[in-house]
Amino acid sequence: MKRKLIAAIGVAGMMVSIAACGGSDTADKSGGKAGADVKEITVWLTVDAQNNWPELVKAADDAVTKKHPGLKINHEYYGWPDKNTKLDAVLATDKAPDVVEMGNTEMISYMAKGAFAEVDPSKFENSDKWLDALKDSVTYNGKTYGVPYYAGGRVGTWRKDIAAEAGVKAAPKTWAELTAALDAIQAKKGDKFSAWYQPSPDWYAAMSFVFDAGGSIAKQDGETWKANLSSPESLKGLNEYKTILDKYMHGDKTKDESDRPVVFGQGKSATIFAAGWEGATAADPKTDKVGGLKDKLENFVMPGPSGKPLPVFLGGSDLAIPVKSKAQGVAAEWIAAFTGAEGQKGLVGKGNLPNNKADLAPLKNDPATAVPATAAELSYFVPTAPGWGQVEKAQILKTMLIDIAKGKSVEEAAKAADTAIDKVINTK
């Protein structure tokens, strides 16, 4: 969800010209004004759009005002820590914005509380090809309450110079190649070095192993959710994760991943599985204690024990229409223009992943973007349950993973997590 995605796929230098997006006949599904008597709309975005792609915002504005001459489009920009506090206050009044940007994991509680209007996905380009995790993030009980905006994924990043020292000549493409390489690196560097620096509380990575094994955090039955970490499949994935911690992680296993780029930049590890920007941050001169780290790093699609790439958690943003908007139809038109084909090209040109697999396809064939694009194709998301979407729920996963790292059995830790999840997951 959180940002720092700009350098994620290394295409920030790509020049993309944005033509005015075509208008849309999109109408909302909940009775909002379709556009004829709408005089103005208000669009809330984060400062990422204001600072990094204002021309894309203007292109969407131009497309909509061309269809609705005289329409005034107001923009307000917020930082991530401030936006939801302001939104919660405004949603209690009749001054709700018409479009609001949401982090993908922020959507759940708002959808569950009925704060957003249902939208018709067929009115938005490539909606049938939305990335799996992004589609899940705007779906609640089978209905769609938002439109994916853009994404940032996770990749494997390693020190190719250290791999070469251990006799490894190429980045791994299979789980067997990966573990063989890590074994060689660990043997070469000794037990005070982390062949794979993987902080245990990093639930994003841990759940990749769970989903790779066919497990999940929870399962839905109708409108009810049930925790699923104790299932045989989930336990298999958690045991694979524990093996990584035991064999290759020789730092503080209970420390979270917030300073992982700093640790990686200090030269204390050979491999990370992390958001695409983390390797670039480690190689920044402010963080690089190795010297010339940028030229020593290589990204690769992280293979999983199943034989497929590890499913990745996609961070990113969605756009939603508050149910109290008095201009839902025009709001949907603005979103359609902003997230359409030209807008997606512009976002890719700024170093983001697109919201759909059609626009992802050419990136997979470009050496500069092939790794993050390929990794993003197989993704997972958290349960879109009414009681999810708050940091306390993620804390349950972190507690489980720290307990496992400290030596509690995987089965016991998963059972405790399931009990904690079941207490809250269906609570609105």
Side-chain angles (χ1 to χ4, degrees):
M1 180 189 77
K2 299 305 180 187
R3 294 303 160 272
K4 295 186 180 178
L5 299 175
I6 305 304
I9 59 176
V11 292
M14 185 186 301
M15 299 301 294
V16 179
S17 61
I18 304 300
C21 303
S24 168
D25 291 327
T26 304
D28 66 282
K29 298 183 69 173
S30 54
K33 294 180 180 178
D37 54 354
V38 171
K39 304 301 181 185
E40 63 182 289
I41 63 170
T42 297
V43 176
W44 282 18
L45 299 172
T46 68
V47 292
D48 299 313
Q50 182 181 32
N51 295 336
N52 299 306
W53 45 85
E55 72 277 15
L56 306 185
V57 177
K58 184 179 185 302
D61 289 352
D62 290 346
V64 176
T65 55
K66 181 178 181 180
K67 183 176 180 181
H68 301 285
L71 177 72
K72 181 181 179 182
I73 302 178
N74 305 304
H75 291 282
E76 295 184 26
Y77 296 93
Y78 294 91
W80 285 103
D82 309 319
K83 173 181 62 67
N84 286 2
T85 299
K86 176 70 172 176
L87 180 62
D88 292 344
V90 170
L91 288 179
T93 72
D94 61 352
K95 303 294 185 181
D98 302 292
V99 176
V100 61
E101 177 181 351
M102 303 293 296
N104 57 355
T105 58
E106 295 175 340
M107 287 288 294
I108 301 166
S109 59
Y110 288 86
M111 294 189 295
K113 293 174 182 176
F116 295 147
E118 185 183 353
V119 299
D120 180 355
S122 70
K123 302 297 183 180
F124 302 93
E125 286 188 78
N126 288 317
S127 60
D128 60 331
K129 300 179 182 66
W130 282 342
L131 298 179
D132 297 337
L134 296 188
K135 179 180 179 179
D136 288 346
S137 75
V138 298
T139 304
Y140 182 72
N141 286 340
K143 296 181 179 179
T144 305
Y145 292 94
V147 178
Y149 174 7
Y150 68 98
R154 283 164 168 76
V155 298
T157 302
W158 78 353
R159 292 273 303 275
K160 59 186 178 182
D161 59 324
I162 292 178
E165 289 175 15
V168 181
K169 298 180 180 179
K173 290 182 169 42
T174 67
W175 184 251
E177 290 177 1
L178 174 64
T179 54
L182 293 173
D183 288 342
I185 291 170
Q186 198 66 69
K188 179 75 174 179
K189 303 296 286 187
D191 60 9
K192 292 184 179 180
F193 184 86
S194 295
W196 181 342
Y197 182 77
Q198 181 54 58
S200 72
D202 179 11
W203 65 269
Y204 298 107
M207 293 304 106
S208 288
F209 284 88
V210 167
F211 281 84
D212 181 66
S216 61
I217 300 170
K219 283 189 172 183
Q220 186 175 18
D221 183 7
E223 295 187 7
T224 301
W225 288 79
K226 179 72 175 174
N228 192 49
L229 291 167
S230 295
S231 70
E233 296 83 2
S234 295
L235 290 174
K236 181 179 179 182
L238 289 171
N239 274 300
E240 293 281 8
Y241 184 68
K242 182 179 185 300
T243 298
I244 294 299
L245 298 177
D246 291 345
K247 292 184 68 175
Y248 308 121
M249 171 59 176
H250 298 290
D252 182 352
K253 291 184 175 67
T254 65
K255 192 176 184 180
D256 70 25
E257 72 276 14
S258 59
D259 66 346
R260 177 166 47 204
V262 174
V263 175
F264 196 39
Q266 291 172 342
K268 297 179 179 180
S269 60
T271 309
I272 58 174
F273 176 46
W277 55 266
E278 293 191 44
T281 300
D284 187 283
K286 297 175 184 177
T287 314
D288 178 10
K289 304 304 180 185
V290 174
L293 185 57
K294 179 180 178 182
D295 295 330
K296 297 178 173 70
L297 297 183
E298 182 178 14
N299 291 339
F300 59 93
V301 178
M302 184 62 78
S306 70
K308 298 178 181 179
L310 271 184
V312 298
F313 180 88
L314 293 179
S317 283
D318 301 320
L319 297 171
I321 302 170
V323 74
K324 286 192 173 184
S325 166
K326 298 178 177 66
Q328 292 177 20
V330 177
E333 291 181 18
W334 190 91
I335 294 174
F338 191 53
T339 62
E342 293 300 324
Q344 291 299 304
K345 288 180 183 178
L347 289 166
V348 167
K350 297 295 183 176
N352 302 289
L353 292 171
N355 67 3
N356 68 88
K357 293 179 181 178
D359 289 326
L360 200 66
L363 300 181
K364 291 171 59 181
N365 296 322
D366 183 341
T369 56
V371 168
T374 301
E377 197 167 34
L378 188 60
S379 58
Y380 75 89
F381 197 61
V382 297
T384 51
W388 202 269
Q390 300 177 39
V391 70
E392 290 82 359
K393 314 311 178 294
Q395 188 59 49
I396 293 171
L397 299 179
K398 292 179 181 180
T399 298
M400 174 188 69
L401 297 169
I402 291 173
D403 285 345
I404 290 171
K406 287 181 174 180
K408 181 180 281 191
S409 76
V410 170
E411 292 76 10
E412 186 180 358
K415 184 177 180 181
D418 277 352
T419 299
I421 289 171
D422 281 336
K423 288 180 179 179
V424 297
I425 196 167
N426 293 301
T427 303
K428 289 188 178 181

